Amino acid sequence: MRIPAHSVCTAIRDDIVAGVYERGSRLTEELLARRYGVSRVPVREALRTLEAEGFVVTRRHAGACVAEPTEQEAADLLEMRVLLEPLGAARAAQRRTEAHLKVLRGLVRLGQERARRGDSEDLRSLGGWFHETLAQASGSHALTSTLTQLRHKISWMYTVDASAAPAESWAEHGAIVDAVARGDGERARAVTALHVERATSAHRLRFPGGDRQDRVRTSQHVVNMSGLRN
């Protein structure tokens, strides 16, 4: 598989998230260069970037290896998301463009349609696209980059149960867009916080080499949709 040198970091990260490289396994420059069809120089640079992001660690006598995050580190990621996603929505209410609103509204329409049809795989990708667009609408490169990295790491460390109430989840997405469109930053922040906290309870830790799965709950809030569009 030959890819552009500038895409090596993305390719290795995607393969780590997908489980192609097991946690704790060695990542040798020679083998990675051969796999992606590049020289060792972009591989070396990619490994440095991935180490800074927390996907890779350098071990004495072993070199670069896939990181092995602890349960606490994994839980911290979900807590960070609960804090940062609402901030991004509040910023988006002040800085979004009409182009952002068009995409967000289109995604909500598609999500609500797929929810009625029960297309869980489509819903997962649409949800990711929605939150990525919402972060971009914040107008903050630093915040968008941080949230993107969080999503990658959460996808790596957790599996996510299919929503038992997808229509309700996409009603929440719609309420977020309504608040963003009105420029109501506090409403956007509050609705997004409830939405993300509720979604967090569906995350289960992945454990290599075992069947153990722990449900992570950071909030017991019940989302009441009756007043979200008022």
Side-chain angles (χ1 to χ4, degrees):
M1 174 172 66
R2 180 173 293 276
I3 64 173
H6 68 270
S7 300
V8 173
C9 184
T10 298
I12 297 174
R13 185 194 299 110
D14 287 348
D15 281 345
I16 290 174
V17 171
V20 174
Y21 306 116
E22 293 183 359
R23 298 178 199 188
S25 61
R26 293 185 62 194
L27 298 170
T28 65
E29 292 179 9
E30 182 180 357
L31 290 177
L32 292 174
R34 189 181 308 140
R35 173 178 173 81
Y36 301 111
V38 296
S39 72
R40 294 172 67 168
V41 174
V43 168
R44 190 175 303 125
E45 294 173 352
L47 290 176
R48 289 196 196 102
T49 298
L50 293 170
E51 183 168 17
E53 292 179 355
F55 289 97
V56 171
V57 295
T58 300
R59 291 177 176 157
R60 189 176 183 184
H61 305 310
C65 300
V66 179
E68 298 178 89
T70 65
E71 291 184 30
Q72 185 58 62
E73 288 170 335
D76 287 346
L77 294 175
L78 293 180
E79 187 171 355
M80 289 170 65
R81 185 185 176 198
V82 168
L83 293 171
L84 293 179
E85 288 266 13
L87 173 62
R91 294 288 185 271
Q94 306 303 322
R95 302 173 181 173
R96 89 294 186 280
T97 65
E98 288 302 315
H100 289 132
L101 283 178
K102 183 177 180 179
V103 173
L104 289 168
R105 285 169 171 154
L107 289 168
V108 169
R109 285 194 298 271
L110 282 173
Q112 291 173 339
E113 176 187 331
R114 298 296 192 275
R116 286 193 295 270
R117 289 161 49 180
D119 297 337
S120 59
E121 287 303 313
D122 281 354
L123 287 174
R124 186 165 300 176
S125 60
L126 286 171
W129 192 0
F130 177 91
H131 286 283
E132 181 178 343
T133 304
L134 185 64
Q136 291 170 352
S138 72
S140 168
H141 175 74
L143 184 56
T144 301
S145 178
T146 300
L147 284 169
T148 297
Q149 189 179 136
L150 276 175
R151 279 192 293 274
H152 285 314
K153 295 182 82 171
I154 289 170
S155 294
W156 175 38
M157 297 182 197
Y158 291 93
T159 58
V160 182
D161 296 338
S163 174
E168 189 171 345
S169 177
W170 279 93
E172 294 169 14
H173 285 101
I176 293 169
V177 176
D178 286 348
V180 168
R182 293 199 304 267
D184 189 340
E186 287 308 308
R187 188 66 169 172
R189 184 194 298 268
V191 178
T192 303
L194 288 172
H195 171 71
V196 175
E197 287 178 352
R198 182 166 124 165
T200 293
S201 67
H203 287 66
R204 293 180 181 269
L205 275 171
R206 303 177 192 266
F207 286 91
D211 296 325
R212 179 184 172 196
Q213 290 183 316
D214 291 337
R215 181 177 294 276
V216 177
R217 295 188 182 275
T218 61
S219 174
Q220 298 300 319
H221 293 301
V222 176
V223 180
N224 181 357
M225 292 303 301
S226 61
L228 289 182
R229 293 179 180 273
N230 296 334

